[in-house]
Amino acid sequence: MISIITGDIINSRRSASRVWLKVLKSQLAKLGETPRHWEIFRGDSFQIEIKKPAQALLVAIKIKAALKTLQGVDVRMAIGLGDKSYNAKSITESNGSAFVHSGELVEQLKKDKLNLAIRSGNAKFDYEMNLYLRLALITMDAWTTNAADTMQKALEHPGKSQEALGKLLKVKQNAVSTRLKRACYYEITELIEMYQNKITELK
């Protein structure tokens, strides 16, 4: 089983493309090489292969946090879980159930005006995870640039203390603590852990 994340930038025209494109590419470059593992297409859409599906939700939330550090920019992402039946040189030309689930879901998200969801083909797993994600999105969609920046640094450096994060962010420790609480960092990391535990049921 692999995971495919298909996404597109929301409000891409409100910010200079060179700005959000640099942030997006920086995140995607950590996940492999283009175009085999990730690719940006149609200007503001992208697709990534996550070989370890247990990491897919963490990757998606990191991307969201990174992009929301930019004023007015957000991202819509569909996480598809399944197989890869055809391996092309370009990720957008490869195929399999993971690609189908992700591609169909991203179109559904546009209609439903939702920014993050998962589809595996397992009705129970999908229902539970998407319920939790809809609740988490109430907070994540409302992250300020400061909250998103703090979330991104905390997710990228999970072992760092609040004081160390404060040095990265150039703010005091108590400001880091306040931002993490407002961003629901602890609840969101619990959600990521729960996803990682539940995904073992699909194997």
Side-chain angles (χ1 to χ4, degrees):
M1 184 170 65
I2 65 162
S3 176
I4 296 296
I5 300 176
T6 305
D8 53 76
I9 306 300
I10 301 170
N11 300 331
S12 60
R13 294 179 183 178
R14 289 189 188 176
S15 179
S17 60
R18 59 182 173 76
V19 177
W20 60 257
L21 200 54
K22 182 179 179 181
V23 172
L24 178 60
K25 284 184 175 180
S26 173
Q27 291 297 308
L28 298 181
K30 298 173 185 176
L31 305 168
E33 299 177 355
T34 186
R36 182 174 292 278
H37 304 119
W38 62 269
E39 195 169 1
I40 296 171
F41 59 97
R42 286 202 311 245
D44 60 0
S45 297
F46 59 93
Q47 194 162 65
I48 329 158
E49 177 182 348
I50 311 296
K51 292 191 182 297
K52 296 181 179 179
Q55 297 300 310
L57 182 57
L58 174 59
V59 167
I61 292 174
K62 282 182 178 180
I63 291 171
K64 184 177 181 71
L67 286 165
K68 282 188 72 68
T69 63
L70 305 173
Q71 188 68 45
V73 177
D74 205 341
V75 61
R76 178 186 299 109
M77 288 174 286
I79 301 172
L81 302 173
D83 65 15
K84 185 179 185 180
S85 57
Y86 176 65
N87 190 12
K89 290 182 179 179
S90 168
I91 185 69
T92 53
E93 294 176 5
S94 297
N95 211 335
S97 61
F99 294 84
V100 174
H101 288 154
S102 184
E104 290 178 350
L105 181 57
V106 78
E107 294 304 318
Q108 188 62 46
L109 290 180
K110 292 175 186 177
K111 294 175 185 176
D112 295 342
K113 292 183 169 43
L114 282 171
N115 291 341
L116 181 62
I118 293 172
R119 180 173 291 175
S120 68
N122 181 304
K124 183 176 183 294
F125 174 86
D126 292 353
Y127 173 79
E128 286 186 19
M129 283 309 309
N130 287 319
L131 174 60
Y132 298 135
L133 286 176
R134 285 198 301 275
L135 292 170
L137 283 168
I138 295 170
T139 293
M140 294 194 295
D141 284 347
W143 281 339
T144 61
T145 54
N146 282 341
D149 194 18
T150 307
M151 281 294 299
Q152 183 194 7
K153 297 293 192 300
L155 290 171
E156 291 285 357
H157 306 282
K160 283 192 181 294
S161 66
Q162 289 185 2
E163 188 175 355
L165 288 173
K167 289 179 181 177
L168 285 175
L169 294 160
K170 298 179 181 178
V171 298
K172 293 181 179 179
Q173 178 272 326
N174 61 341
V176 174
S177 178
T178 300
R179 288 183 187 182
L180 289 175
K181 286 177 183 175
R182 286 180 179 169
C184 293
Y185 169 78
Y186 302 102
E187 292 82 359
I188 288 167
T189 51
E190 280 188 49
L191 174 59
I192 292 167
E193 288 174 13
M194 186 188 70
Y195 162 79
Q196 291 172 339
N197 289 329
K198 279 186 167 293
I199 201 171
T200 59
E201 300 169 11
L202 299 178
K203 296 180 180 179

